[in-house]
Amino acid sequence: MKNSPLILDIKGNSLDDGPGIRSVVFFKGCPLDCAWCHNPESKKRTTEISFDKGMCIGCKSCIDICQSGAISFDNQYFIDREKCSLCFSCTDACPSGALSKVGTFMEVDNIAERIIKDKPFFDTSGGGVTLSGGEPTIDISFTSELMKKLKSEGIKILVETCGFFSIDKFMDLIYPHADMIYFDIKIMNCSDHKKYCGVPNDLILQNFIRLHDEYRNGGIRIIPRTPLVPGITDTEENIKAIADFYTEHGVKQADLLSYNPLWHDKNAMIGTDNPYSSDKKMKEWISRENEDSCRKIFLNAGIEFP
Amino acid sequence: MSKRNYMNTLTNLGLRMMASQFNLRSSLKKYLKSSDGWINFSIGFSTETESVEQAIVFQDGKVKVLKNIPDNADAVMRFTSDEVLKEIVKITPNEILNLVLKNKIILEGNMAYLQAFNYFISLIMGKKHQRMLNKLNKKEMKERKKEYGNKSPELAEEIKNRYAYRMKATADEDPGVKFLSDPYLSEFSMDDFPKIKRLHEEHFNTKPAISSERPRLLTEWYRENGFETDNNGKEWFPELRQAYAYKHLMENKKPVIRPESPIAGTCAPEDVAVIIYPDTTGTMIWGELGSIDRRFLNPCSITKQTADDLHDIYAFWAKRITREWIRDKYDYPLCQKIDERAVASFNFKTVSMSHIIPDLETVINEGTESTISKIDRQMKTLGKKETDKLNTLESMKICLEGLNAYAANLSKEALILAEKETDETRANELKMLSEICKRVPAKPARNMDEAVNSFWIFWVGLVMENNNISLSPGRLDQIFQPFFEKDMQKLSKEDEKKNYIKHVIELFCFYFIRNAEHQNLVPDVANYLFSGSHAETAVTLGGIRPDGKDAVNDMTYILLKVTEIMSMRDPNMNARYKAGVNSDTYLKRLCEVNFITVGTPSMHGDDAVMESLKQTSDNIEDIRNWGCTGCVEITIPGKQGNHAGATSINMVAGLEMALNNGYHPLMNWHLGPETGSVENDDFKTFEDFFNAYSEQIKFIIEQNTSFNNMAAEAYAYLRPTPYLSAAIQGTIESGRDVTKGGAIYNTSGTFNIGLADVTDSLMVIKKLVFEEKKITMKDLKKAVDSNFENDPAIHAMVMNRVPRFGSGNDEAVEMANRVASLIHSSYKSHKSFRNGDFTVGFWSVAQHSAYGALSGAIPSGRQAFQPFTPGLTPHPSASKNFLDNIRDVARMNPRYMDNNIAFNVRLVPSPAESREDTIDTMYSYVKTYFEQGGMQMQFNIVNSDVLKDAMANPENYKNLIVRISGYNAYFIHLTMDMQLEIIKRAEFGI
């Protein structure tokens, strides 16, 4: 059985994941475990089952077919993931698609085929493919194969990464085929980083410094980005620390990503708890003032926005 | 045994009350008379259960009620049940109209007399109906404000603010641009044209008025000189009859020069006028003469004099309308009955023929005098016995003489106004205008002002003869560029040149306003069937020239600037794009104008269009010179007699009939052939079902084309068009009127509605029933028959588990092409009256909403009475990836679509993005689409909140234009159904 990464989704016509019109490949699996993750279904490497309450028509075909007795309307998350054997008979039987399989194995050629269809749009708009997820470096060899295939078709590639990978492997297998990198810098304080993201940040920061140096020496463009999460990353302390880090390493361009609260229901869909389900600040769009004050800190440090 | 019941008695009483009103009150009785004498007709009323049978007879000034419907009754109103009959006393005329559309009331017979009857009712019940209507309207507006109103006033501002920023460009990539340094003309805005700004606003605050000038002058002539026969009893040669009447009209038409206008002439004396064509649509508002000024949608003011005039005029025409002519000659054929139900098909031909692009280039450049000489020369070559040809040619001449008389009157009027004018500049302008009108359109135009006046005066003449529906001027940028260059070359100083460019922009802004001052007649039923549609004067820009070179020139950009400044629904701006020839500068400008105006111009891919046009012509220069007519129809200007919007069919009706063995549920009529029953398990394979569908479609098309041809024959008799014929090539050589096939090319254009809905339904049957065997045909039909209410699981499956057209799935695209091919081959197997082919279009006007409202649930999951998708636009749920939509539409074979398509896209602008970035994204979609072979694409760039706000607060959105399906409309003029349909359309963020 192949140990290759699973694919969550291939989203076409994305205007927000890099320049031009792009297709985004979402890998399943991530070495981090951020508390605010907007795609919680991308954290685990293995397949999962998702239930969208809004699409359910109550026909009970799933309950009828389930051999493990894992499905019940009494259950808070509809499916008891402990009992579920992941046989996916229910997702097959579901007429509306409320039950769906999360994470599919796809061959490199398969993925490429889906993407190549949109190449004419990439060409006209200066777009291409964005590798995201989860974490696209979750299986560096596989991703490398995919990148080689896409490159051979003349498609530009942007890698969106959390930065937690082996730098040698990355330089060897990913870097030669990439055209641009988006690199997440979330939290500067190491113990906070471990607390909120599951791992310490020293490897991440090291990797960033290395890649940014490469860029300064003629390598591919890398843009660090910080998701603004209310009360966690958007604090003055964190933003200032990040700005200082950039200044120290000669980073001239960086981005801040606005917070959007539309992820809350996603946890329930895959049967996990949402630690912020009753957090008021987390439920709202970030305020203009907040965002502006964060941006100001960067601007004052001489950092430009792309 | 008699089935008559108490309803019969009640109906009898009601009619007798009406009769006595007319018999006893002289104020009402006078309406029973016209200049020709008493208005005599009879209307029957019955129910399908035979519980009711009554008739009312208007005879020689007396009204009688009969207990039986006489055999020779002019019209019958058939109610499908007692309940329906009971309803009508409680509801307003619009709601009755709704029942007619829903086939709950069947109207048969002379529609003009039915309208007359409605008018008589309104004379008695008018006030009551109006009160009921006002109450309903108030309630509706209140509900709308509650449901859709946003408390954010900045919504109305968002669109206005789009004008504030304008991109710049250079003309390096456009070899045809000779003078403009910034082709986007970004330095100009409406504020630089204060006259236009004022007149533009005035225009939107002017209620259109019904004009009786045209029908009055024509009818006056016919009454004096005879219609069928002349005063000596001899049969008129129709072209001559038309020509003399036309000349009378043009000689006596009020010559009007609108205030401050550099262009002389108007279609009618009223400020904004609705032009009446009594032989086609005119009588359709007979019943509304008392209420048209206060109806909810598109009210038109009407003076008492006009209403009385029209009542008198309509009486003359009641038996002379196209429908009546057909009914009489062909003994109320089946195809007419099908048409009148408006469910399976609707033939636009009885409404008008006009869709055409006349040869303006010759008129403007050579003058009508040269046409007259050409006609004379041709006449000399004919023998005395060739009377038909001689008469046809003579009639063309007479018409042109009429035009010259009108121009002379305009010249005189200009001088009269100049005398009275206190402002010196304007007085000089008027004197110049007087000289211009002395010269054009008789003689060749020598400069831009003469050219535009020649064009407009000729155009007025055209509208006086032909319904002002989809008469299209064609490639104005090509026509006027030589004049622009000629005028510019005479100027040497920079400021002179700049002023001249400003003058030309202003001149065409005036043209837009002049053009918007004639509006087409919209009977209330058309508000629902053709929501918001109007004169549809299509102008086509860009593309390539007959010699294959880039056609984009200075005038292209000037007209785009005018489009941007004016943001009006008419003229209907269309832009051609030739991949590999037209520049990115041009394409990006098209995107920007679309962004600023929300939805115009619509864009066309030259490669696909020209490929499809090869079926009409093998002259490559003619093909390269194509232009749009009306909505989007592909036409060769000046040479093609191509009633491009002749007839439409509801493709979904064929599906319902195939599912019901030839029976149509809403019509409650077994009109089609027996092609197999689902209940009897007759369909063993998908091919079996597809064949059944094919049979039904072929039947509908056969009937539809028959009726079209009968209507064409009616035109050739009732209203041939010698004036138009003088401006269409081929007619002089052939000595035949356009209506008789005199043009070089002859086609009749069709538009076919429901392609995506049919394709998706066929995919459901193919995949779920026959391939995956997840459900049986019987179970599917049961679910469909219950509007899916009995089987939500099947509904969920068909909606979510089957790939749709537009999802990127190869099979679905193949299916769409297969259906398109079926339609195409069915039409091509018939010839039109003018011995041409039918061309096949997949755009829908507002029919996707109208036919949708008359169709039941279908296997694709669409529920009963919901609109279809517009044109051939994929269903909103087909794919989350808009690019799939684009690619699939581009993969449609252009051969099957030689009357063009409409592919609608709604983009939601992102406030965070810069103008340049937004335009770049749009440009990427559009360019790639056309490079992939796409044929047409049209945008609405507006978010749902704004549209909802416009529903609740229409007064803030007077000129918000939206693209329906090929044409523009003012959003606030649309029915609520159409407005909601546009809001629900797939929305893609940019």
Side-chain angles (χ1 to χ4, degrees), chain A residues 62-83:
Chain A
C62 52
I63 295 177
D64 290 340
I65 208 168
C66 179
Q67 302 274 344
S68 317
I71 309 179
S72 164
F73 282 108
D74 295 328
N75 187 308
Q76 183 189 22
Y77 297 124
F78 194 56
I79 301 169
D80 184 338
R81 268 78 179 180
E82 314 255 305
K83 289 193 184 157

Side-chain angles (χ1 to χ4, degrees), chain B residues 26-28 30-31 119 123 127 209-210 212 216 270 289-290 292-293 300-312:
Chain B
S26 58
S27 60
L28 287 176
K30 66 175 185 187
Y31 286 98
Y119 186 48
L123 292 170
K127 290 207 172 76
I210 303 279
S212 64
R216 191 172 25 86
E270 291 80 0
L289 290 176
I292 197 167
D293 57 342
C300 308
S301 61
I302 185 168
T303 63
K304 176 137 195 338
Q305 183 63 55
T306 301
D308 287 345
D309 281 347
L310 286 177
H311 176 65
D312 187 49

Side-chain angles (χ1 to χ4, degrees), chain B residues 764-926:
Chain B
V764 164
I765 295 172
K766 179 175 187 225
K767 306 297 284 178
L768 284 184
V769 174
F770 290 104
E771 277 178 20
E772 295 162 29
K773 299 199 194 334
K774 288 216 164 110
I775 52 178
T776 64
M777 197 68 190
K778 271 198 202 149
D779 283 341
L780 176 62
K781 179 153 193 296
K782 274 203 211 124
V784 166
D785 288 346
S786 76
N787 199 21
F788 293 106
E789 274 151 29
N790 289 352
D791 206 323
I794 289 191
H795 197 199
M797 252 196 279
V798 306
M799 293 290 288
N800 296 303
R801 298 301 213 172
V802 181
R804 288 181 186 264
F805 172 64
S807 63
N809 177 284
D810 291 341
E811 267 184 81
V813 173
E814 204 186 306
M815 184 71 81
N817 269 315
R818 188 176 179 193
V819 176
S821 171
L822 164 66
I823 305 292
H824 177 264
S825 58
S826 303
Y827 275 111
K828 297 293 184 190
S829 69
H830 299 282
K831 281 277 185 235
S832 76
F833 173 73
R834 286 173 285 119
N835 205 31
D837 279 341
F838 288 90
T839 59
V840 180
F842 294 100
W843 40 276
S844 52
V845 198
Q847 289 291 72
H848 54 283
S849 180
Y851 281 151
L854 301 172
S855 300
I858 50 178
S860 69
R862 175 195 143 277
Q863 288 187 286
F865 317 132
Q866 296 300 304
F868 304 150
T869 73
L872 54 42
T873 307
H875 190 266
S877 73
S879 174
K880 290 192 199 125
N881 180 358
F882 171 42
L883 306 186
D884 287 331
N885 280 191
I886 295 182
R887 264 189 286 104
D888 280 3
V889 175
R891 289 200 279 167
M892 292 300 292
N893 188 336
R895 225 190 112 70
Y896 305 144
M897 322 191 299
D898 57 345
N899 199 24
N900 219 331
I901 62 174
F903 171 36
N904 250 294
V905 178
R906 189 145 80 80
L907 294 177
V908 179
S910 163
E913 264 196 343
S914 73
R915 170 69 56 88
E916 282 77 4
D917 283 341
T918 304
I919 299 305
D920 275 347
T921 306
M922 278 181 74
Y923 150 87
S924 299
Y925 292 141
V926 175

Side-chain angles (χ1 to χ4, degrees), chain A residues 12-13 91 94 96 118 124-125, chain B residues 800-801 881 887 924-925 928:
Chain A
N13 192 32
T91 55
C94 176
S96 69
D118 286 343
T124 324
S125 66
Chain B
N800 296 303
R801 298 301 213 172
N881 180 358
R887 264 189 286 104
S924 299
Y925 292 141
T928 312

